[in-house]
């Protein structure tokens, strides 16, 4: 039983389940908050909603087809990005992202259009303001995005480009998304009523900032850390880190200021998500080792990115 729980197949199955749930949450966020409140949205979803909104504006159908069209467009937009991901990033990452995109697209297309009425009192009744909606959907979608990243996938669209770029330039995924989405917001403002365009852009900006902040708060795989280790078993620990984690280690001779005893001082750059496991390994070799963890904004040189599996 223990072997099953720790097998890569079981871990992948759990990742698939979590991915399906997170993608469903994203679709609900669009149906309940973004589309009904006419927020401009962001990413590939933003582009898809713009196309769906433009269709409603041009053809004035009896029943709004905004999210139905958006779901179809979202899937089409992601096809070339999934091909890029398969070739340049990771197969497992691409599979999980594809699952996310498919579930998200299907849910957006077929979820009832009056879902917002069923789930919460309308904004017109004065119970939930536009700001409340922007804050809540930012937390909701930001968490869903972060969860998708944590299990090894993404929500597709701009996320794939952000991941591709961040792995090579070591920039924050959340901040990269802001840059990409700024252009989408400007385009979205062109098809919104001029009288409310600026206010919708403001609420979208609130949503975007909260969304990006939540992503960067919970998703630490694209962040770097520096481990400073003082130990009497420097060679053993360095060998373990080098071979098990494939991280370089610099060993310096040091001496205790109080005891005057010789110690090894180890310097190691790693990803933030590796800190806990490396610390456990160090403590298993030398329980008296002193470890300091320092956040690193950037690491230059032959640093291996291992965020994708």
């Amino acid at each position: 039983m223990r072997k099953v729980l720790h097998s890569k197949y079981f871990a992948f199955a759990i990742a698939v389940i979590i991915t399906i749930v997170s993608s469903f949450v994203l679709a609900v966020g669009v149906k309940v908050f973004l589309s009904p409140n006419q927020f401009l949205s962001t990413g590939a979803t933003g582009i898809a909603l713009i196309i769906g909104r433009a269709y409603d504006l041009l053809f004035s159908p009896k029943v709004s087809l905004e999210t139905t069209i958006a779901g179809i467009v979202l899937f089409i937009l992601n096809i070339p990005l999934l091909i890029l991901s398969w070739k340049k990033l990771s197969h497992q990452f691409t599979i999980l992202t594809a699952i996310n995109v498919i579930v998200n697209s299907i849910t957006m297309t077929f979820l009832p259009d009056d879902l917002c009425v069923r789930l919460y009192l309308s904004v017109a009744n004065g119970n939930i303001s536009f700001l409340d909606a922007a804050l809540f959907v930012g937390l909701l979608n930001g968490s869903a995005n972060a969860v998708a990243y944590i299990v090894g996938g993404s929500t597709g669209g701009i996320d794939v480009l952000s991941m591709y770029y961040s792995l090579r330039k070591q920039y924050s995924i959340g901040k990269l998304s802001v840059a990409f989405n700024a252009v989408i917001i400007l385009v979205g403002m062109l098809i919104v009523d001029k009288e409310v365009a600026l206010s919708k852009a403001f609420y979208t900006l609130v949503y975007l900032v909260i969304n990006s902040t939540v992503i960067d708060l919970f998703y630490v795989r694209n962040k770097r850390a520096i481990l400073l280790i003082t130990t009497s078993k420097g060679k053993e620990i360095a060998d373990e880190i080098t071979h098990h984690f494939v991280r370089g280690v610099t060993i310096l001779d040091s001496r205790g200021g109080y005891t005057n005893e010789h110690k090894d001082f180890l310097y190691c750059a790693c990803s933030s998500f590796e800190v806990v496991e490396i610390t456990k390994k160090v403590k298993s070799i030398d329980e008296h080792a002193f470890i300091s963890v320092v956040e690193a904004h950037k690491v230059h040189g032959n640093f291996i990115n291992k965020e994708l599996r």
Side-chain angles (χ1 to χ4, degrees):
M1 184 65 180
R2 181 174 296 180
K3 289 183 178 180
V4 173
L5 293 177
H6 289 84
S7 69
K8 62 180 181 180
Y9 300 107
F10 180 78
F12 182 71
I14 295 299
V16 169
I17 294 172
I18 293 175
T19 297
I20 292 173
V21 173
S22 68
S23 61
F24 179 79
V25 169
L26 285 171
V28 170
V30 172
K31 280 281 189 178
V32 177
F33 295 101
L34 298 185
S35 181
N37 294 322
Q38 292 290 291
F39 290 163
L40 301 177
S41 192
T42 55
T45 301
I47 298 174
L49 283 175
I50 286 173
I51 295 175
R53 201 165 293 170
Y55 178 89
D56 281 357
L57 187 64
L58 291 173
F59 299 100
S60 302
K62 294 181 179 180
V63 179
S64 174
L65 297 176
E66 179 180 318
T67 53
T68 300
I69 293 175
I72 298 172
V73 172
L74 180 65
F75 178 76
I76 296 174
L77 289 176
N78 273 283
I79 292 176
L81 295 172
L82 290 172
I83 294 174
L84 170 68
S85 176
W86 184 267
K87 291 183 176 180
K88 299 295 184 180
L89 295 177
S90 158
H91 289 179
Q92 179 170 322
F93 171 80
T94 305
I95 292 171
L96 291 174
T97 300
I99 292 172
N100 199 308
V101 170
I102 292 171
V103 174
N104 195 357
S105 299
I106 292 175
T107 307
M108 282 178 57
T109 302
F110 297 104
L111 212 60
D113 288 326
D114 62 346
L115 188 65
C116 60
V117 178
R118 299 181 186 183
L119 294 184
Y120 79 108
L121 296 175
S122 66
V123 173
N125 290 333
N127 294 290
I128 297 180
S129 67
F130 287 120
L131 182 59
D132 292 333
L135 290 172
F136 187 79
V137 74
L139 291 170
L140 189 71
N141 285 10
S143 300
N145 273 275
V147 167
Y149 282 126
I150 290 171
V151 298
S154 79
T155 56
I158 299 299
D159 290 343
V160 174
L161 294 178
S162 296
M163 179 68 77
Y164 175 79
Y165 193 66
S166 70
L167 291 181
R168 284 150 180 77
K169 301 298 181 179
Q170 300 184 29
Y171 291 142
S172 160
I173 289 178
K175 293 181 176 64
L176 283 172
S177 296
V178 171
F180 283 121
N181 290 325
V183 177
I184 297 173
I185 292 175
L186 292 176
V187 174
M189 289 178 65
L190 298 177
I191 64 170
V192 177
D193 190 338
K194 293 182 180 180
E195 295 182 359
V196 298
L198 288 179
S199 65
K200 296 300 182 182
F202 169 76
Y203 292 120
T204 299
L205 181 61
V206 172
Y207 153 68
L208 176 58
V209 171
I210 297 297
N211 181 76
S212 299
T213 301
V214 172
I215 291 175
D216 283 343
L217 179 64
F218 291 104
Y219 180 72
V220 298
R221 286 180 180 270
N222 65 319
K223 297 180 181 179
R224 314 309 189 237
I226 302 298
L227 289 177
L228 305 176
I229 306 169
T230 303
T231 177
S232 58
K233 300 180 179 180
K235 187 63 171 65
E236 296 177 48
I237 292 175
D239 288 342
E240 182 66 25
I241 294 176
T242 301
H243 293 100
H244 186 79
F245 295 95
V246 197
R247 292 298 182 194
V249 180
T250 299
I251 304 178
L252 302 174
D253 289 326
S254 61
R255 190 170 57 202
Y258 179 74
T259 62
N260 205 38
E261 293 181 359
H262 169 79
K263 293 285 185 179
D264 294 321
F265 184 79
L266 278 57
Y267 177 97
C268 174
C270 63
S271 295
S272 294
F273 76 98
E274 295 175 305
V275 169
V276 173
E277 291 300 319
I278 293 179
T279 300
K280 288 180 180 179
K281 285 289 184 182
V282 172
K283 287 296 185 179
S284 68
I285 297 173
D286 180 9
E287 61 179 4
H288 300 295
F290 184 84
I291 306 172
S292 296
V293 181
V294 181
E295 181 180 350
H297 295 289
K298 285 187 181 182
V299 178
H300 296 281
N302 296 322
F303 185 84
I304 301 174
N305 291 291
K306 299 190 292 182
E307 288 84 352
L308 300 181
R309 292 166 285 180

